[in-house]
Every structure is written in C-alpha cells, then in structure tokens.
C-alpha cells in the first residue's frame, strides 16, 4: 500500500467539485459533488440519533439497491428539524443533482451539515449544484474537501493505492468533523471512493467493520449529530477480479486499506476538534474482550475532565482511572496500569512514583498518548479525542448567532 | 413544612464541626464531623463507578446494620486509587473518629473528596479529627459545610421542619458538588440529618426514591466520581410515632420533606457548577413513561453544545432536539415542542417562527428553563445543569498542579 496525492478523485473514474453558493457565507465553498463516471456499488453508515435530517433517511433509501453514482453535499445548513418542507428540499436536491448530471435520482446520495433548524435556500442550492456539476474535474477534489467544512480549520484528504491480484486499486477519502462528534455509528461526514470491483455485501461489511475501529472511536464532545454519515462508492474501474468473499485475502487487503484511510481521517478529525491543541490517543490494551477495550478507550477519550487536564499539561491519571470506571465496562480496577507516553503513572490501579519532569515532554507533545493496561486478556482498542479548551467554548457559545 | 435556619444540626440531637487540618491548604477548613448524640438509623447511596475510594466501600460495610452515629469527612484528598495503604488509612480514619467520640467504629461513616491518587496525610487527619470532635456544637454546622467544599464557590445548607402526627420533625442537609457531577446513583457528597423516628427500610426507600429525582438528575460535566455518596442519619429524637410503612401518610410527608431538601441541594450544586453563570433547568414533559422523560431531561442537561449555547445566550433549540435524539430514549421527534422560558421555539420537531427578542430575557435570566413537550403521555421529569464556560476550562486545566 502506498500513499497517493489527492483524495476522492485519486481512484479512476471519479470527478468532484466544490463551489460557493452563499449558504455558509459570501465567499466560502459550501456546495459540492462527488461523481463516478458509471454507477458504483455503494454503502453507508448513518447516525443513530432519533432526530435525523431528511438527507440521512433519503440516502439510506437510495442505498437500498446498493448503487449510487453521485454524492451531493452542502455545509452551512443541516436541513434538520425542518419538517416536510425540509424533506421536500432534500428530495429536490437529489432531483436537481440527478438532472444536472444526467443520472438516476435514486443514484444520488445527499449529505448536509451546519446549523440545525433552518430551511435550505433552494434557489442558491440549485445554482450551486448546477455550477459544481458543470465544473466537475479531478482537480476539483480540493474544492470539494473545502466545501464540506463547517468549524473545521483544515480540510481532510487522503488517498492510497494497493494491489489486488496484480491490479492496482486506488482508494481516496475526504471528511469533515470538528464539533458534535461522538462515537455512535457514524459520527460526522466521511466520503470514500474506490475503483475496486467489490460486491455490495462485501462493501457494506467492510465499511461497517472499519467504522467501528475508526469514526466510532472518535469523540470531540459526546454530542452525536442529526446528520452524521459515512458513504463509500466503489466503481470497479480498477478492473480487479471481483472481491465477493468476506473471508478472502483480497477482502483482507481491501479492509486494510479502508481501515488505514478511515483511521487516518478519524485522527485528523480528532486533531481538528473544535478548539483543540492536542490530539489525544487512548489505547486500552490487554482487555478480556474487545467491547471492554472499546468502552474504556472511548470513555477516557470522552471525559471532559481528562480533556481539560490534557489542555493544562496535567498528568492527572486519577481522572483517567475514574473515566475508565464509569465507562460501563466490567474490569478489575486493582489490575490497571496507566502510562502517559512512555512513562508509567499508575500501577495496579494505584499511585505509582513517577517523575513529573519525565512525563512533561509527553504531555507537551502534539499527540498525547495514554495507555490503559487492563492486564486481563489480549484485546486492544484505540480511541481518539482532543483536549477541551477555551476555544471550544468560544466557538460554541456563538455558533448560531 | 417550613424553612429553618441552619443545616445538619437543625434537627434535635445533632452536633457538627469543621476545622483546618492543612489537607487542602494552610487556612481552609478541610476536616469535619457530623455527630448524633445517640446511634441513628442510617442509609446511603453510593457511586456506581467501578473505581471506588475505600471510604465508599467501608461506609457501605458500616451501613450493613442500618445504624451509624457519626460521619467524618475530609476535602482536598479523595483517598482514591491509593491501594491497600489507602484502605488502611480509611479504616484508621474511622477508628480515630470512633475513639475521639467514644462510639463504635462501625457506627462511623467516612467520606473523602478532592484529588484522586494521593495518600491521606494521616498525622494531620488525626489532629483535625480530634480537634473537630473536641469542638462539636450546633453552631459548628457552618464550619462543617465549609470543610466539605472543593472547587465549590458557596457552601450549601438547608433545613426544614414538618409535622408528623402532631410532633415537630426537623430535617437538615449540607452538600458539595461543583465538578465531576453526573447522574449515576449518588453524584457528589450529600449529608442529611433528621430527628424523625423511621424504620431502616423506610429510610433507605425514601433516600433511594429521593436521589432518583434530585442528585441523579444533576449534571455538570458527565463525569461520575470515585467517591460520590449521599448519607442520611435519623436519630428519632423528635419522638414521633415510628414511620414504618412505606405506603403511610407519614411516609409521604417524610418523602416530601426529603425530596424538597435534596432537590434544593441539587439545584444549588448545579448553579454552583464549575465556572457556571446560569442554572439550567430542563423539563421533559408529557412523556409516555418516566424513564423516557428522565433520559431526555438528563441528556439535554448534559450536552456540551446545549451548555455552551446557554453560556452564549443563544436560542439554539436544534441542539436541544439533537441531545434528546441521542439520549437513548424512544420518542417521536415529529411531535416534540420546545420552549425556552415562556417562548415556544420549536413545534412538532421543527422550526417555529419565534422572536429572538422575546426569548432574550429568558436566556439572560440566571435560571434558564428549557421545556421539551413530548406530547405522548403524562410523565414529567426535571433535570438540572449549568452552562459550560471559559472558567470550567480554567478550573480544570490546572486543578492538580
């Protein structure tokens, strides 16, 4: 597997574009399209919030035949809590996109992100969609990556190439996150493209498994959104023998590439969490089972008190143990060792005589690693988060007004 | 029922004191005792965190016979994650207190609050306990209320008097909260005294029911502590006919008084949340069942995004609906109305044309009321929280170092 430049248009047969439609502001890109030159096998995972935007339900509906050819996305307005008018606006968004691209309406997936509870300005949406459709290109992926940002500071792009039985296969992705991120099924917007030829059932299985170890292990603020979605399009243009056995070596390679990409995106999202100054990587290791490891890693990554301690460069390992304790996981507190970077700070659930000086560089590093060794088995899990800072408050105290 | 001055020494036969033992600092009170002149019927509810301080386990053990005569408490050091030495220190704390008061060791309940993962300075603890024991008085309740504070800005005290079959009965309480507060069984330290005569089973039932509608409905930062405990002592000095039937009118009166006191304490704790500038009162009403109402009210009161919006005086009702949506409760989003103060801001889960000007005074008031009308039944629940502010970050980024 090797890294490629670019993102969603790195695989063969994909084009993209992002434009300014004055939904977010007068000059930021806010409407974009990802397009495959032929219908692609498609899969998605979506928010588990009971309050769901129309675009989530409609995209799920459009994925029933496991096929899609385009994703249309806007930022600046989530089109959530907008009732039947919002539902019609989302349907119209798909219809305009289908018409502009000359494809089937139900081959269009929709995603929206931004403020909840405002109607989409459909005139501007339509103008934006038509303009993005008219300007689709390989180079347009950069603009698409920008068009999906809300409070993100950086756009998030990645692409890789790997081999399936002598055929080069490419996979690319872009994502947005920043706020309202919490592990619960899909946790933000993530779009993945690949030119691999793969069956619908393998694609869905790979996506689900991958999201469980990536997007679902990211927490910025424990709030799951009404619009979270991760979608993947696989158009088969690589010409590889079809991947249609979940237990095959080819599937394993595909899964590895997908996990690599989704974990990279997840870490970028965590690092770019609202107001973040540190990426927080939590490893729960040697758990009796994988669920225990995941619950503990996520709980520690989600704790406001751990996150403020990291902001303050404070080796407050008691808060780490405490967050493990209320994770809901069953474990033996008296066996737990805690490490910050390379330095052990707690042993057997108890004070360990460590040097604050030695821990300091690990707390000051951009990525702070906390390891919780449960010494009860051999299952491991990683979770990512960020510190909780003054800027998180600033960003969220005046987001809407 | 009428309000009395004072707190835990307002009921007959109770004395208290708080002193400085140099555990928290050179001049703040940090060790205290609540004492009943005779053994009292006692009950408690404790943290559900898997990582529990020794004082929690030992107090539960000492409550097995439903009897206690004193509570000894220190702030500044939680004596949690301190292994067998911490366990022995907690036992020694009980033993010193018992000796100083000339009572049974297992009639002493223990509570500690403060930093996790440091050993108690037992020489200073002993000095503090002996000095508090020597100076017990009715007036000492004020010092006790101060001695249990950590990052609390205000001490919390209340007392009431009510009538049981012509006998005046008194009940008083003090509590501490501020950080690491989240609904999960007991959520902070709360001490209640009463001179009512009541059976052990009625006392435990009343406490459990009361905590469910008070302390368990408070959220500051979703972190449940290793040391949370609510304890009640009932010494029978009021001379009322014993309350020993959970379905009796007397039990109902006792429950009303206890709920009144615990809800008042809970609101004081939420209002005094770390960095708080607003008390947040969330009412979920007309739910199909009480669990749904509670889950939704707590979820909204716990949302970082709702809390930052309140700090910013922002009528961001979308975040309210979103937090209800990920509460785990089953409800129909399309039926939900949302009100801020008296002003409706969402109708049937959707945008409602409200005036930002009219909402403003309700957002600027010290107590911000948010009502979520589920229109699906007749069950209601209240939860309390506070806004999330720059000062929460400040307090928690440098708490330990």
């Amino acid at each position: 597997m090797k890294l490629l430049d670019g993102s969603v248009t790195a695989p063969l047969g994909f084009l993209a574009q992002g434009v300014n439609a004055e939904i977010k502001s007068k000059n930021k890109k806010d409407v974009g399209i990802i397009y495959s030159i032929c219908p692609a096998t498609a899969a998605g995972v979506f928010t588990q919030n009971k309050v769901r935007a129309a675009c989530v339900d409609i995209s799920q509906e459009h994925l029933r035949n496991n096929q899609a050819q385009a994703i249309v996305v806007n930022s600046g307005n989530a089109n959530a809590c907008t009732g039947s008018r919002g539902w019609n606006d989302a349907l119209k968004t798909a219809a305009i996109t289908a018409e502009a691209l000359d494809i089937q309406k139900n081959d269009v997936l929709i995603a929206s992100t931004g403020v909840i509870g405002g109607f989409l300005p459909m005139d501007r949406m339509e103008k934006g969609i038509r303009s993005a459709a008219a300007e689709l290109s390989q180079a347009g992926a950069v603009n698409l990556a920008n068009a999906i940002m809300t409070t993100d500071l950086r756009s998030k792009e990645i692409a890789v190439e790997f081999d399936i039985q002598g055929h080069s296969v490419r996979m690319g992705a872009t994502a947005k996150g920043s706020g309202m991120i919490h592990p619960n099924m899909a946790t933000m917007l993530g779009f993945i493209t690949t030119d691999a030829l793969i069956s619908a059932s393998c694609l869905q299985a790979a996506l689900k498994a991958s999201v469980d170890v990536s997007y679902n292990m990211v927490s910025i603020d424990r709030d799951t959104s009404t619009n979270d979605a991760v979608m993947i399009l696989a158009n088969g243009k690589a010409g590889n023998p079809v991947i249609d056995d979940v237990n095959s070596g080819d599937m394993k390679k595909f899964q590895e590439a997908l996990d690599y990409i989704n974990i990279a995106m997840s870490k970028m999202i965590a690092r770019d969490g609202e107001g973040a100054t540190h990426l927080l990587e939590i490893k729960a290791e040697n758990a009796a089972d994988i669920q225990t490891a995941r619950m503990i890693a996520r709980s520690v990554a989600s704790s406001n008190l751990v996150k403020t301690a990291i902001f303050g460069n404070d080796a407050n390992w008691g808060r780490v143990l405490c967050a493990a304790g209320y994770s809901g996981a069953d474990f033996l507190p008296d066996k737990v060792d805690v490490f910050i970077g390379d330095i052990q700070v707690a042993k057997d659930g108890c004070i360990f005589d460590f040097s604050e000086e030695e821990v300091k560089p690990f707390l000051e590093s951009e990525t702070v690693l906390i390891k919780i060794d449960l010494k009860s088995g051999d299952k491991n899990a990683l979770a990512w988060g960020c510190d909780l800072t003054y800027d998180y408050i600033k960003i969220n105290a005046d987001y809407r007004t």
Side-chain angles (χ1 to χ4, degrees), chain A:
Chain A
M1 190 162 61
K2 68 171 187 185
L3 274 172
L4 299 179
D5 288 337
S7 58
V8 290
T9 58
L12 301 179
F14 285 98
L15 303 171
Q17 192 52 269
V19 300
N20 168 245
E22 298 189 11
I23 292 169
K24 206 156 58 182
S25 71
K26 287 268 173 211
N27 39 40
K28 286 183 180 163
K29 295 186 173 56
D30 46 24
V31 168
I33 292 174
I34 299 170
Y35 170 75
S36 168
I37 57 169
C38 60
T41 301
V45 286
F46 298 92
T47 184
Q48 292 188 320
N49 198 308
K50 286 286 282 183
V51 178
R52 294 152 63 95
C55 58
V56 169
D57 288 326
I58 292 170
S59 293
Q60 279 197 299
E61 182 62 32
H62 287 187
L63 279 170
R64 280 212 191 188
N65 64 350
N66 307 307
Q67 180 184 295
Q69 194 168 350
I71 301 169
V72 59
V73 55
N74 77 278
S75 58
N77 184 317
N79 190 22
C81 304
T82 46
S84 57
R85 177 168 158 190
W87 183 270
N88 289 332
D89 287 346
L91 283 178
K92 207 170 158 191
T93 300
I96 294 165
T97 308
E99 195 204 299
L101 297 171
D102 194 22
I103 63 174
Q104 294 297 309
K105 239 185 337 195
N106 69 353
D107 280 348
V108 178
L109 307 178
I110 328 167
S112 295
T113 176
V115 178
I116 299 172
F119 294 117
L120 275 175
M122 285 309 293
D123 49 341
R124 280 174 275 160
M125 274 293 282
E126 173 156 7
K127 219 175 131 192
I129 292 167
R130 291 193 188 279
S131 142
E135 294 161 36
L136 286 172
S137 71
Q138 219 189 342
V142 174
N143 293 334
L144 180 276
N146 276 290
I148 65 176
M149 292 163 65
T150 54
T151 51
D152 305 62
L153 296 178
R154 297 163 232 192
S155 63
K156 299 165 185 72
E157 300 183 77
I158 196 167
V160 299
E161 187 171 55
F162 57 104
D163 175 274
I164 298 278
Q165 297 193 32
H167 296 260
S168 278
V169 172
R170 284 145 295 267
M171 189 183 283
T174 186
K176 64 90 36 184
S178 212
M180 263 203 186
I181 302 296
H182 184 62
N184 194 2
M185 180 63 104
T187 55
M188 26 55 65
L189 296 183
F191 305 118
I192 308 135
T193 57
T194 176
D195 48 26
L197 185 62
I198 183 168
S199 73
S201 59
C202 282
L203 189 66
Q204 181 68 43
L207 183 62
K208 172 72 177 70
S210 191
V211 166
D212 277 348
V213 297
S214 58
Y215 292 111
N216 278 355
M217 297 304 286
V218 178
S219 181
I220 306 285
D221 56 13
R222 304 205 244 202
D223 280 41
T224 49
S225 148
T226 51
N227 290 54
D228 299 334
V230 179
M231 302 171 183
I232 184 166
L233 303 180
N235 69 5
K237 288 293 171 192
N240 59 290
V242 62
I243 303 167
D244 59 1
D245 174 2
V246 289
N247 298 312
S248 65
D250 291 350
M251 176 71 170
K252 191 157 174 264
K253 279 186 176 176
F254 185 87
Q255 187 79 60
E256 276 169 8
L258 188 57
D259 290 354
Y260 178 83
I261 275 192
N262 284 345
I263 288 174
M265 283 286 124
S266 300
K267 289 168 79 163
M268 285 188 215
I269 288 167
R271 177 61 189 86
D272 197 18
E274 287 173 343
T277 66
H278 293 281
L279 169 67
L280 195 52
E281 179 165 294
I282 311 294
K283 183 174 192 185
E285 68 176 24
N286 299 318
D289 58 86
I290 190 71
Q291 275 317 313
T292 298
R294 286 183 183 167
M295 286 166 87
I296 288 172
R298 277 192 296 208
S299 185
V300 174
S302 305
S303 159
N304 278 357
L305 287 172
V306 170
K307 289 145 66 89
T308 46
I310 297 305
F311 176 52
N313 297 329
D314 181 2
N316 201 320
W317 58 269
R319 293 181 182 175
V320 173
L321 272 177
C322 182
Y326 65 70
S327 65
D330 196 20
F331 68 100
L332 297 170
D334 292 350
K335 290 185 94 166
V336 179
D337 295 348
V338 180
F339 298 78
I340 296 175
D342 294 345
I343 309 300
Q344 183 160 9
V345 293
K347 187 179 162 60
D348 299 329
C350 188
I351 302 171
F352 183 76
D353 190 22
F354 66 92
S355 147
E356 300 271 353
E357 272 311 300
E358 281 176 30
V359 178
K360 214 175 160 205
F362 293 101
L363 284 166
E364 287 173 351
S365 102
E366 170 146 347
T367 299
V368 176
L369 305 171
I370 298 179
K371 189 171 75 178
I372 300 126
D373 187 344
L374 299 158
K375 296 189 288 189
S376 300
D378 60 0
K379 295 293 185 278
N380 305 330
L382 284 171
W384 298 276
C386 59
D387 50 345
L388 179 58
T389 71
Y390 296 111
D391 280 348
Y392 177 87
I393 309 292
K394 191 172 173 195
I395 291 164
N396 285 296
D398 55 7
Y399 180 62
R400 199 184 62 105
T401 47

